[in-house]
Amino acid sequence: MNRRHLLTGAMAFASLGAAPLVRADNRAERLFRILRGGSDIGRHQLAVTPGAEGLEVAIDIDIRVRVLGITAYRYSLTNREVWKDGALVRLDSQTDDDGTDERVTLRRSGDLLEIDGTGYSGTAPISAATTSYYAPDFVTRRPWISTQSGQPLDIATEVRNGGSLKRVIVTGDLEKTIVYDANGEWVASEFDAGGEPARYEVIEQSGRIAALWQSA
């Protein structure tokens, strides 16, 4: 399998053994199932909680691609972000890409984001978004910062409205479709994973991430 093709579309997946979602008024969570070519390959768990420093975002990833019952590819990512007044304050992530370790440390410094990652060390504007996708506000922001390597990604987005859903077509350094509902909640993603169609599907949810984002 071409790992880059898989990871380009799938920057965040949660543990296959993810704990049940804990419901709380001031916390919002989503648990996605990831399907590749019809096979279940992982989970994406996202938790958003208001905290003392701002909006705390926890993302945990685990992908396992099996061939004839044997794990042929494994990917895991742990990412923690803090946002305040719509701007990223800090980000810390660790990734195991089938045995290759990657990391990102990001801190806000004045009007810039200082990034130290395995794929990029330098600065980005505080208007940048991350490849976490949970807020539709990210659609208009540039650049997107890879939560795996720290690399600023040059992307373009096209919004297509259909019924109660908004489909965002992402092209450039990242190619995928992100789907938000009428309330601005991230509900699905579609992308190519090593030549096979892949899709996120929500299987558990609690709270409203969009409401927390708007009030942060």
Side-chain angles (χ1 to χ4, degrees):
M1 172 176 296
N2 186 319
R3 78 176 53 169
R4 286 298 167 194
H5 281 261
L6 176 59
L7 296 181
T8 296
M11 292 293 187
F13 304 123
S15 170
L16 292 172
L21 301 186
V22 177
R23 300 183 184 279
D25 290 341
N26 66 339
R27 180 181 176 90
E29 298 185 80
R30 297 292 179 275
L31 180 59
F32 293 88
R33 170 173 55 207
I34 301 94
L35 300 172
R36 176 180 180 267
S39 298
D40 189 335
I41 64 169
R43 297 290 183 270
H44 172 153
Q45 187 163 316
L46 167 68
V48 180
T49 310
E53 295 183 77
L55 203 62
E56 300 174 359
V57 181
I59 299 164
D60 296 287
I61 298 174
D62 192 16
I63 299 174
R64 301 178 193 180
V65 178
R66 294 183 174 89
V67 178
L68 299 177
I70 299 173
T71 299
Y73 177 81
R74 177 75 184 267
Y75 176 89
S76 63
L77 177 148
T78 299
N79 175 32
R80 300 295 182 265
E81 302 175 7
V82 177
W83 294 76
K84 187 174 180 62
D85 298 326
L88 192 56
V89 175
R90 73 169 188 266
L91 181 153
D92 295 278
S93 75
Q94 294 284 336
T95 301
D96 179 351
D97 176 6
D98 207 29
T100 299
D101 294 331
E102 296 207 61
R103 62 168 181 80
V104 183
T105 300
L106 178 153
R107 297 292 183 270
R108 179 175 175 176
S109 178
D111 292 333
L112 292 173
L113 302 175
E114 295 186 350
I115 305 168
D116 181 13
T118 50
Y120 175 81
S121 292
T123 61
I126 60 171
S127 58
T130 66
T131 52
S132 299
Y133 317 130
Y134 57 86
D137 182 44
F138 288 16
V139 172
T140 60
R141 298 189 177 209
R142 302 291 184 273
W144 284 6
I145 298 169
S146 166
T147 57
Q148 176 173 324
S149 68
Q151 178 185 357
L153 302 177
D154 183 13
I155 58 96
T157 56
E158 177 187 350
V159 178
R160 299 178 183 175
N161 293 311
S164 61
L165 298 178
K166 178 168 73 175
R167 298 173 61 85
V168 180
I169 314 301
V170 183
T171 56
D173 289 340
L174 184 66
E175 296 192 356
K176 67 184 309 173
T177 298
I178 307 168
V179 185
Y180 301 95
D181 69 12
N183 295 317
E185 299 291 337
W186 176 28
V187 294
S189 291
E190 300 165 357
F191 51 93
D192 178 89
E196 294 280 354
R199 178 177 173 83
Y200 276 34
E201 295 179 351
V202 176
I203 57 174
E204 282 192 62
Q205 59 184 322
S206 66
R208 291 185 58 190
I209 294 174
L212 291 178
W213 171 260
Q214 291 167 6
S215 63

